[in-house]
Amino acid sequence: MLGVPLSAPAREDVTEIMDRRNFLKNAVVFISAAGLFRRFLGNAEASPTNGPYNPAKHLYGMGIDIDKCIGCGLCVEACKTENNVPKEPFFCRTWVERYVIKKDGTVAVESIEAQKGKPKSRPEDGDIVRSFFVPKLCNQCENPPCVQVCPVGATFRTEDGVVLVDSKRCIGCRYCIQACPYGARYLHPETRTADKCTFCYHRVVKGLLPACVEVCPTQARIFGDLKSMASRLVRFTRINKLHVLKPHLNTEPKVYYADLDGEVR
Amino acid sequence: MASPPKIPEQIKRLSVVIAVIVAGVVALRYFILPSSLFDTRFHRESTVQREVAKNIAFAGAMICGNCHVDQAAKKASGYHKTLSCEGCHGAAQTHIENPSAKPATPKGRELCVSCHTYDASRPTGFPQVNPVLHNPVKACVTCHNPHDPVPLETPRECSACHAQIANIKTVSPHALIGCASCHSVPVKHKITPRSVRPTKPDTREFCGKCHGKDSGRTDAPKIDLATHGERFLCWECHYPHRPERM
Amino acid sequence: MNPELVQRLSELLREVTGYIYPNEVEIHWSILIVVYPYLTGLVAGAFILASLVQVFNVEEVQPTYRLALLTALAFLLIAPLPLQFHLAHPERSYEIFLTPQLGSAMAMFGFVYLWYLMAVLLLEMWFEYRRDLIVWSQAANSPIKWLYKALSLFSSDVSERALAFDRKAIKVITVIGIPSAFILHGYVGFIFGSVKANPWWSSVLIPIVFLMSAIVSGIALVIFLYMVITPLKGKIMDMKCLDKITSYLFYAVIVDFTLEALDFIHRLYESEESIKILSRLVTDKLFISLLVMQVLLGMVVPLAIMVAVKSLKFDAELRKLLYFTSVILIQLGIFATRWNVVIGGQLFSKSFRGLTTYKMEVAGLEGLVTAVIFLILPFLVLAILLKLLPAWETAGGEQDTPA
């Protein structure tokens, strides 16, 4: 079970109209109950501002359409620009893998870098059976093994489904890097703390898209709110058969791949 | 008279030590150190606040159109409608804040070929060129307006978008068979490719025109349509773009 | 970015075979993380040996009792240092006490360590040495006099009743201490064994194997120390003691070998997805450290030696030589075991398609020199402890080691 947490579908058959008094009564009850409930959440995930943004109302995820990715690498470059990631190829919050599967069953994989200014085209090979690009990033798991192993609780899951790192408290033990099955984490060479994709949290809470989604030329990356009734991601989960990476590890990732090949690890 | 059991001296000494340690720990935890040090929720909230306060580099395509109305309108219905402005012009948040700091407007070939160079791993149907052969040296923008990159003329060859298939076919026994011989291509497919697709042959007799026992062609391997492969269409087994050599 | 770092990573990248995720170029847990389980393993093993005397009343091993305790303490004191040197922010390491994330095995380190140090080791040593400390403080000059007095917590009761209480207390502490020692080292095994992302580590057997190798290395260390220190002090080794301890070592090695063989056979038999990359790991990267050092030299050869000693009658001199050789080989083998687990688990990619390398720095905070220093330091600490709290001369001048 992928366990995609979708909100209840709209019911077209409801014709009952609530009168104003009932509505106000329900609203008062609901709001105070919700307030109580939030207090009881206790040590739960935090809210970014005390203003109108309510993290409990959102659950962010990403969809990736493999058949649309052209492997241009603009996403990798944009992420590095937006998030102060070192430009060298050894540290990536997101990267793109190229798979080449040949007739004899061999699978060759490589990471591609941003192609700007130095496009590398692959020599034609008549033995290729399938070949495609797979963007990878932190899966913002609902059951994250990295959060489970952090000894000081410096990494945590927010209520809206993003896993963040407190770089002021991270002691740099690198246990989370070992625990991540997807290789999404790295030790930032300057802050010497664990770092990883945050779905551009600083952008999404303001209604913007993550940088990688923003620059993708073919809309291979689809960002959205799983709790929203009308979101591109929810539609994506409706019309595609979804895969996640390493489902047997039960990390409940929130990056959903459409048309993912079985050879992808 | 039995003397009351004495507490062994060791226990007395150790109790003092343990009491001192426990008192020290309790004092530290509850009185000396600020309680915020122990509060996970406080740390997480401050982390979120720090995260949200981070610098934004990309403004987002929605904002560009507020000022650059014409370009946005032109782009909105062309082939580049899904390509965000900042994909080519680079991060532009500083431009929003200070309009006189203009983003780059790349006019050379490097940027365009980074997406459009032929690459066998790119999905079929994506327009690709061989940059060495396709008007070398000339800047792409000379013929293609980047905001509405309609080619100068409708591509005559299917290989403009289906280069990988064309490349495979070139070294196959079917090299001299034109795409249109087997696929009927509606004109609209060359303008809005995803709206209407070409057809595939749907009868065995179609391939039998060359490969059937009774066909006149001498250069095609022959099979008996009645028995070979029974009820399946030919291309369900044989890859027509590169059939096996006999 | 630091050009030296770029240079180093570029070199590593050139040596990668197959495909690894971009973030996996450099391995994160270096030789210091190999040293740490090795040191705590010695602590746990030495303590288990000491507890043989107390709980199971194995008289023959008595001459090594205090030595084992002091060894455990010396290694325990040095054990946190490699961890501190490895952390990217050691100045924040106190946070493990402030906000431990209870789901993390690593968060338990601080508490388990403190418990074992204070409530087990120091407590047991205090009861063991209390009487001697009192007597020594009476005989010594200041400032040592005051040191002994303070160490004995200014106690003065040396009556028979008090001494009997001491012996009883030691028994109780040892009974608590054995599971505590298991946890002290077992949790390290659990740190690795619970990482589902890494098939080389993720195994139910790893905590048990760690513990058994710890016991093996601890016993071997005490034998080594006993065989080195006794002649230095001009005394004669107690062969009955040595034979007995080596017996225990022999049984421990058999159990350890069986468990590791079981793990190996189980992996091959189940042949899960990771078997291909793990086979490449063993044959390409870990051939020397695993097949040669851990298995052949570290287990098979010592086992063969000990079987020979048990079945054939060798004279004392030959036995001493063979024991000494075995314990050195075993130490190398157990260190290689730790290496194979820690470093080996990071040499293959989680994509299961590639291997990277570990280029150990020589100097540098996490380099070879630092690691060697951390391996030598406990012996220096032990030397100081032995001077302060002699292991064989009890107060009153009697020697505990029979000729």
Side-chain angles (χ1 to χ4, degrees):
Chain A
M1 281 290 288
L2 281 175
V4 173
L6 298 174
S7 46
R11 294 178 51 197
E12 292 99 322
D13 57 335
V14 171
T15 50
E16 167 193 316
I17 301 169
M18 212 183 264
D19 72 342
R20 207 177 342 182
R21 181 181 290 166
N22 263 334
F23 172 79
L24 283 175
K25 219 169 30 162
N26 288 336
V28 166
V29 171
F30 173 77
I31 288 172
S32 31
L36 269 179
F37 181 65
R38 278 183 63 72
R39 283 196 54 207
F40 288 151
L41 282 178
N43 198 14
E45 301 80 5
S47 63
T49 62
N50 293 322
Y53 179 79
N54 180 1
K57 287 201 151 63
H58 305 276
L59 187 63
Y60 297 117
M62 189 178 287
I64 302 208
D65 195 338
I66 296 294
D67 282 347
K68 294 213 175 111
C69 178
I70 59 171
C72 63
L74 281 180
C75 52
V76 180
E77 200 192 356
C79 172
K80 293 201 177 198
T81 307
E82 178 74 35
N83 292 297
N84 189 29
V85 180
K87 297 275 187 273
E88 285 76 4
F90 316 111
F91 308 100
C92 292
R93 287 190 174 200
T94 183
W95 68 98
V96 180
E97 297 175 356
R98 180 213 299 268
Y99 282 73
V100 177
I101 301 164
K102 298 217 182 139
K103 263 203 211 124
D104 57 4
T106 52
V107 181
V109 187
E110 57 174 357
S111 296
I112 62 145
E113 293 152 43
Q115 306 264 311
K116 271 192 187 169
K118 36 174 177 64
K120 293 185 285 196
S121 70
R122 190 175 186 76
E124 190 65 73
D125 190 334
D127 283 336
I128 295 178
V129 170
R130 302 192 298 287
S131 184
F132 46 87
F133 296 100
V134 181
K136 295 273 193 87
L137 66 163
C138 168
N139 288 259
Q140 311 289 354
C141 307
E142 286 289 282
N143 182 17
C146 57
V147 171
Q148 190 181 17
V149 299
C150 177
V152 297
T155 189
F156 60 98
R157 203 184 137 272
T158 63
E159 221 175 332
D160 37 14
V162 176
V163 178
L164 295 177
V165 179
D166 184 346
S167 54
K168 288 229 175 324
R169 303 196 75 241
C170 173
I171 61 176
C173 71
R174 293 163 247 195
Y175 198 5
C176 60
I177 302 177
Q178 303 289 356
C180 175
Y182 308 109
R185 287 175 166 261
Y186 60 94
L187 194 77
H188 198 288
E190 280 152 37
T191 63
R192 305 276 293 151
T193 55
D195 199 29
K196 67 176 196 67
C197 162
T198 56
F199 269 0
C200 285
Y201 195 67
H202 60 295
R203 295 174 62 89
V204 305
V205 300
K206 296 172 188 157
L208 298 171
L209 290 174
C212 55
V213 179
E214 181 65 45
V215 301
C216 176
T218 53
Q219 294 187 331
R221 292 180 184 245
I222 291 109
F223 183 78
D225 185 349
L226 289 161
K227 280 193 174 165
S228 163
M229 293 278 281
S231 97
R232 299 191 61 225
L233 182 61
V234 173
R235 176 177 186 265
F236 183 86
T237 61
R238 182 177 297 122
I239 62 169
N240 288 302
K241 298 214 168 35
L242 302 179
H243 307 256
V244 292
L245 296 174
K246 307 203 190 210
H248 58 283
L249 294 181
N250 192 34
T251 55
E252 299 179 25
K254 293 211 302 300
V255 173
Y256 306 105
Y257 289 85
D259 298 317
L260 188 72
D261 194 282
E263 288 290 349
V264 177
R265 293 286 170 277
Chain B
M1 281 174 305
S3 52
K6 286 188 339 205
I7 303 175
E9 181 208 39
Q10 298 95 317
I11 297 294
K12 281 192 248 178
R13 305 252 168 242
L14 284 175
S15 319
V16 170
V17 173
I18 293 174
V20 167
I21 293 177
V22 169
V25 169
V26 168
L28 269 180
R29 169 70 179 87
Y30 290 106
F31 300 108
I32 302 177
L33 295 174
S35 60
S36 64
L37 274 184
F38 300 88
D39 184 0
T40 312
R41 189 164 187 184
F42 165 76
H43 293 302
R44 291 181 179 185
E45 278 173 3
S46 57
T47 303
V48 172
Q49 275 159 26
R50 256 180 288 123
E51 194 69 38
V52 172
K54 284 191 177 161
N55 227 14
I56 289 186
F58 285 85
M62 300 307 304
I63 300 188
C64 307
N66 290 346
C67 294
H68 300 277
V69 180
D70 294 336
Q71 287 89 331
K74 206 170 171 102
K75 199 160 79 60
S77 50
Y79 291 121
H80 272 180
K81 66 171 174 270
T82 55
L83 172 56
S84 140
C85 316
E86 287 167 300
C88 297
H89 293 283
Q93 179 64 20
T94 42
H95 175 62
I96 306 282
E97 282 147 19
N98 173 17
S100 53
K102 299 204 194 278
T105 41
K107 296 247 167 72
R109 280 170 80 87
E110 304 88 38
L111 181 56
C112 310
V113 299
S114 68
C115 285
H116 290 284
T117 294
Y118 172 69
D119 186 325
S121 308
R122 293 193 155 137
T124 195
F126 185 73
Q128 299 169 65
V129 295
N130 181 341
V132 174
L133 298 178
H134 182 90
N135 299 319
V137 177
K138 223 169 169 185
C140 312
V141 300
T142 321
C143 304
H144 304 272
N145 180 338
H147 297 143
D148 185 12
V150 178
L152 278 185
E153 43 191 48
T154 313
R156 283 158 300 187
E157 303 293 328
C158 307
S159 58
C161 293
H162 298 283
Q164 201 218 358
I165 294 176
N167 286 357
I168 289 177
K169 195 160 76 62
T170 317
V171 296
S172 78
H174 280 182
L176 297 176
I177 302 179
C179 310
S181 310
C182 301
H183 303 281
S184 69
V185 184
V187 171
K188 219 166 158 243
H189 179 70
K190 298 193 178 180
I191 318 288
T192 46
R194 286 182 194 201
S195 64
V196 54
R197 310 279 169 135
T199 63
K200 289 203 246 265
D202 52 3
T203 60
R204 292 157 57 83
E205 284 66 32
F206 183 87
C207 305
K209 280 195 288 194
C210 294
H211 291 281
K213 266 197 338 242
D214 312 318
S215 142
R217 291 195 70 115
T218 48
D219 50 355
K222 298 288 189 294
I223 46 101
D224 181 2
L225 271 178
T227 53
H228 177 92
E230 291 161 355
R231 45 206 178 106
F232 299 110
L233 290 172
C234 313
W235 48 261
E236 292 184 80
C237 295
H238 303 280
Y239 186 41
H241 301 143
R242 198 188 191 206
E244 333 67 271
R245 286 198 184 280
M246 298 304 290
Chain C
M1 226 175 88
N2 180 359
E4 198 203 298
L5 180 62
V6 177
Q7 163 88 343
R8 196 156 49 99
L9 294 175
S10 308
E11 277 169 21
L12 282 172
L13 194 57
R14 276 194 284 274
E15 309 240 353
V16 167
T17 52
Y19 176 68
I20 63 171
Y21 296 139
N23 292 328
E24 287 180 329
V25 174
E26 192 183 27
I27 72 166
H28 291 283
W29 284 353
S30 63
I31 187 167
L32 292 186
I33 307 298
V34 175
V35 168
Y36 171 73
Y38 184 66
L39 294 181
T40 52
L42 294 171
V43 172
F47 184 84
I48 303 285
L49 180 64
S51 63
L52 280 177
V53 176
Q54 293 301 333
V55 176
F56 300 105
N57 294 317
V58 182
E59 297 279 332
E60 298 93 322
V61 179
Q62 172 66 34
T64 54
Y65 173 67
R66 284 188 176 184
L67 177 63
L69 282 183
L70 290 174
T71 308
L73 181 62
F75 279 81
L76 193 64
L77 289 175
I78 301 298
L81 289 183
L83 294 181
Q84 285 289 86
F85 273 59
H86 164 259
L87 287 181
H89 286 277
E91 75 280 4
R92 298 179 191 168
S93 52
Y94 64 88
E95 289 172 6
I96 252 180
F97 292 111
L98 299 184
T99 54
Q101 199 272 107
L102 297 177
S104 167
M106 203 183 274
M108 292 300 101
F109 162 70
F111 301 105
V112 166
Y113 180 86
L114 274 185
W115 164 264
Y116 188 81
L117 178 67
M118 313 280 281
V120 176
L121 200 52
L122 286 181
L123 202 57
E124 178 160 342
M125 284 178 61
W126 188 73
F127 277 110
E128 169 65 21
Y129 275 97
R130 194 187 62 91
R131 197 211 108 188
D132 290 346
L133 284 170
I134 296 173
V135 175
W136 289 331
S137 71
Q138 284 159 359
N141 308 317
S142 56
I144 300 285
K145 182 191 181 79
W146 290 104
L147 179 62
Y148 282 141
K149 268 190 168 337
L151 283 178
S152 71
L153 296 180
F154 298 98
S155 86
S156 55
D157 188 351
V158 290
S159 65
E160 266 312 306
R161 215 156 132 248
L163 295 182
F165 184 83
D166 282 347
R167 283 192 289 276
K168 225 174 102 184
I170 290 178
K171 273 209 169 34
V172 171
I173 296 170
T174 310
V175 168
I176 300 175
I178 294 178
S180 304
F182 279 16
I183 294 179
L184 177 75
H185 194 62
Y187 98 91
V188 180
F190 189 78
I191 283 182
F192 294 99
S194 60
V195 177
K196 62 188 173 187
N198 189 325
W200 188 238
W201 290 347
S202 173
S203 156
V204 158
L205 278 180
I206 272 205
I208 318 277
V209 168
F210 259 52
L211 198 52
M212 279 320 299
S213 351
I215 293 175
V216 166
S217 65
I219 298 178
L221 179 69
V222 174
I223 295 176
F224 173 81
L225 287 169
Y226 183 72
M227 293 184 81
V228 164
I229 295 175
T230 316
L232 281 179
K233 285 200 175 302
K235 300 207 187 47
I236 304 177
M237 292 190 227
D238 177 356
M239 283 317 291
K240 260 177 65 183
C241 172
L242 261 188
D243 289 333
K244 194 76 188 179
I245 303 186
T246 313
S247 259
Y248 283 119
L249 180 64
F250 176 61
Y251 303 138
V253 174
I254 288 188
V255 176
D256 190 27
F257 184 68
T258 310
L259 286 171
E260 292 189 18
L262 180 65
D263 183 62
F264 179 68
I265 293 171
H266 189 250
R267 272 184 207 279
L268 282 183
Y269 188 87
E270 282 205 339
S271 190
E272 286 194 350
E273 185 188 1
S274 53
I275 195 77
K276 291 201 181 80
I277 191 68
L278 293 182
S279 308
R280 268 180 62 197
L281 174 73
V282 172
T283 50
D284 290 354
K285 301 275 178 193
L286 298 181
F287 187 80
I288 303 269
S289 58
L290 201 150
L291 297 174
V292 176
M293 296 211 56
Q294 174 180 336
V295 177
L296 185 65
L297 294 180
M299 277 200 271
V300 171
V301 169
L303 268 180
I305 291 178
M306 288 190 275
V307 166
V309 167
K310 266 191 182 300
S311 34
L312 309 169
K313 289 245 174 299
F314 295 141
D315 66 7
E317 282 309 309
L318 183 56
R319 289 212 306 277
K320 278 194 269 185
L321 177 64
L322 290 175
Y323 290 163
F324 198 70
T325 316
S326 305
V327 296
I328 293 189
L329 286 177
I330 285 177
Q331 291 299 352
L332 290 175
I334 300 295
F335 192 82
T337 310
R338 308 290 184 233
W339 175 278
N340 293 325
V341 171
V342 177
I343 307 289
Q346 300 172 82
L347 288 180
F348 70 98
S349 165
K350 296 199 176 69
S351 70
F352 297 174
R353 294 190 196 274
L355 299 168
T356 183
T357 38
Y358 175 40
K359 281 197 193 302
M360 185 163 50
E361 315 171 277
V362 174
L365 225 51
E366 295 200 62
L368 180 61
V369 171
T370 319
V372 169
I373 290 177
F374 286 138
L375 289 172
I376 294 179
L377 261 182
F379 292 100
L380 299 178
V381 173
L382 181 61
I384 297 173
L385 285 176
L386 278 173
K387 211 90 185 97
L388 207 54
L389 304 167
W392 293 286
E393 297 88 13
T394 56
E398 319 120 27
Q399 315 285 317
D400 263 348
T401 35

